[in-house]
Amino acid sequence: MSAPGVKLRMVSQLKRAGPIYRCVRAVRRRSRRLIYDVLRCSLPSWPRLGPARGLFHAYDELRTGRLDGEILLERQTIVPSPDGSLKILAKLGQAGYQPWPVFWTRHDHARLIGEAALLVDHHKRACAEAVYLHLHDGDPGYNALWLPMPIRLSGNWTSVISRWPTNYYHWFTDCLTRLALLERMPADTKILVPHELQPFQKETLRWLGLADRIVPLPGRHLMVDHYYFSSPTVMMGCANPYGVQFLREKFLPRADASFHGPEKIYIRRRDKSRGIRNETDVIAFLEMHGWQAVDLESLTLAQQIHLFAHARAVCGLHGAGFTNLLWCRPGCVAVELLAENFLNGCYEALAGCLAVEHRFLVMPGDEQSRIQVNLDQLGKLLPI
């Protein structure tokens, strides 16, 4: 067996061990953090050598007048999370992270590092909001040990690049929402985007009229004349009414009205990680109740928007397809299926911004987070 195969087999065996696997992961994370913390303190403060030397909060510096910019919102109003909420069960902090201000700041002679173009100040501190506050320890740019010679960019720039640049959910909720602040910046501001854009990313930027202003990230170390930092409009995976409203205003008019799809949709997944072991039975069961399975990857983005904008109910395994709840009408019912070892409340939070009724069913998951759906339990969650 090859070395990668041996590694995968060992990881799979550890996952089956449950608590032992979680303990091993925790020890690994703490050891890695300790090593980087030692390097932050011991290495010289050279721009190209060693990890970032801590954090600075752009919002605090803006409020105290040390940075130029603008605060649009001090906090967002979100729907409370009742006991038993998926956002609470997932234990990812998605029921909180408010207040989360919406703001932009200007940085002259700014330095951007890593694949996510992380903003670093003259003291080699990383922007806390750019690394989602407490998630900074896992950010590759924050932990970069060596950087190449910088590439200089003249003029005005901003960025929509995140740590997950090609993910459908993160593109809409973490990346595009930063463009809600673009009109506050100079009209000639160029936009850094991931080096390779997927078709749906190109489409959204074209719809926004920005195709001639985007520039693929040219390197891992940039020196920028004037950089306008557009803060993520919320901690990732959390309720984001400001960003949701922006996306709906910009993209709902792009729905393909010539496309006609079912009103009750089952989201079929193609050869992805995780999965439903008895999906054939699930689809047959849903079809008996008037549902239709849809392969979203076979549809254009405009067709997906129209499909979900006219849906009465949506069901499927937790995955990126639920990002399309962005286009749903109030009163639509979303039924999300999850493995107990792969919980995430991001789509419940999204539904809460839209008055979409979110229901969920959690089932035991194997080492690959695959589930066997109980059809009786599923039937109780389906809308009449």
Side-chain angles (χ1 to χ4, degrees):
M1 183 179 293
S2 65
V6 172
K7 182 177 179 181
L8 287 173
R9 184 175 179 180
M10 290 177 62
V11 170
S12 177
Q13 290 174 343
L14 281 172
K15 285 183 176 181
R16 292 192 189 99
I20 297 176
Y21 174 69
R22 290 191 292 272
C23 180
V24 170
R25 289 193 65 186
V27 170
R28 182 176 179 272
R29 283 196 301 267
R30 290 169 185 165
S31 301
R32 188 170 182 268
R33 183 183 306 169
L34 177 61
I35 291 171
Y36 278 110
D37 286 345
V38 170
L39 293 175
R40 292 183 216 286
C41 298
S42 59
L43 289 177
S45 185
W46 294 340
R48 295 177 54 204
L49 177 65
R53 297 180 70 84
L55 302 171
F56 77 93
H57 292 259
Y59 179 66
D60 292 342
E61 299 209 0
L62 174 58
R63 292 192 63 184
T64 55
R66 293 194 296 272
L67 283 176
D68 292 332
E70 180 184 9
I71 299 172
L72 282 74
L73 283 178
E74 293 280 352
R75 67 179 300 136
Q76 298 188 58
T77 301
I78 59 174
V79 177
S81 301
D83 292 340
S85 164
L86 182 57
K87 289 179 288 184
I88 294 176
L89 293 176
K91 298 181 180 180
L92 298 174
Q94 294 166 326
Y97 295 120
Q98 287 291 344
W100 185 275
V102 178
F103 68 94
W104 64 268
T105 50
R106 170 175 166 152
H107 305 259
D108 295 329
H109 310 295
R111 194 156 65 94
L112 308 179
I113 65 173
E115 299 297 333
L118 172 61
L119 173 63
V120 177
D121 71 4
H122 302 298
H123 302 289
K124 204 178 176 180
R125 299 176 302 173
C127 177
E129 291 84 0
V131 290
Y132 301 99
L133 301 183
H134 76 285
L135 296 182
H136 61 275
D137 282 332
D139 189 280
Y142 185 69
N143 294 323
L145 297 177
W146 176 86
L147 295 169
M149 289 292 292
I151 297 171
R152 296 193 174 273
L153 301 179
S154 59
N156 300 308
W157 294 80
T158 190
S159 171
V160 295
I161 305 174
S162 77
R163 283 171 59 181
W164 299 270
T166 60
N167 179 280
Y168 190 76
Y169 170 80
H170 288 289
W171 175 251
F172 279 98
T173 61
D174 295 345
C175 300
L176 288 181
T177 50
R178 304 186 195 197
L179 295 174
L181 284 65
L182 186 63
E183 62 183 20
R184 310 277 177 160
M185 304 172 192
D188 64 349
T189 301
K190 295 181 180 179
I191 305 162
L192 291 170
V193 299
H195 184 67
E196 294 185 5
L197 290 174
Q198 297 194 57
F200 70 86
Q201 295 174 308
K202 295 178 182 178
E203 187 84 333
T204 53
L205 293 168
R206 184 177 64 82
W207 285 348
L208 292 171
L210 300 174
D212 60 343
R213 294 174 61 179
I214 63 173
V215 177
L217 185 69
R220 294 176 51 246
H221 189 190
L222 309 177
M223 294 296 296
V224 184
D225 280 356
H226 310 295
Y227 181 69
Y228 290 83
F229 172 65
S230 182
S231 171
T233 50
V234 79
M235 172 66 77
M236 62 181 181
C238 298
N240 184 1
Y242 183 90
V244 166
Q245 184 61 31
F246 168 75
L247 295 170
R248 288 175 65 85
E249 287 178 358
K250 295 299 182 181
F251 297 127
L252 270 175
R254 297 289 181 171
D256 182 357
S258 67
F259 175 76
H260 300 286
E263 291 188 336
K264 294 195 289 187
I265 308 161
Y266 173 76
I267 303 173
R268 186 195 292 271
R269 287 167 59 89
R270 282 191 199 172
D271 301 326
K272 302 288 185 180
S273 59
R274 307 188 303 279
I276 298 177
R277 293 198 296 268
N278 61 331
E279 185 176 54
T280 300
D281 296 335
V282 170
I283 292 175
F285 177 79
L286 290 171
E287 287 177 342
M288 290 172 51
H289 293 79
W291 293 67
Q292 183 174 328
V294 177
D295 177 6
L296 297 181
E297 294 186 33
S298 67
L299 305 180
T300 67
L301 180 56
Q303 289 172 337
Q304 292 183 54
I305 294 174
H306 189 271
L307 176 66
F308 279 79
H310 292 81
R312 291 196 298 112
V314 180
C315 178
L317 183 69
H318 172 86
F322 275 95
T323 306
N324 288 299
L325 293 181
L326 281 165
W327 326 122
C328 289
R329 297 170 293 187
C332 178
V333 176
V335 181
E336 188 176 2
L337 311 175
L338 305 101
E340 63 182 2
N341 56 354
F342 201 96
L343 297 182
N344 193 318
C346 60
Y347 299 116
E348 182 186 70
L350 185 57
C353 297
L354 299 162
V356 168
E357 184 179 345
H358 183 273
R359 306 172 184 177
F360 65 94
L361 180 60
V362 176
M363 288 146 287
D366 62 16
E367 65 274 9
Q368 295 179 343
S369 299
R370 295 174 301 185
I371 59 175
Q372 181 87 10
V373 176
N374 184 305
L375 298 182
D376 290 335
Q377 292 178 339
L378 175 60
K380 294 176 182 178
L381 291 181
L382 299 180
I384 299 175

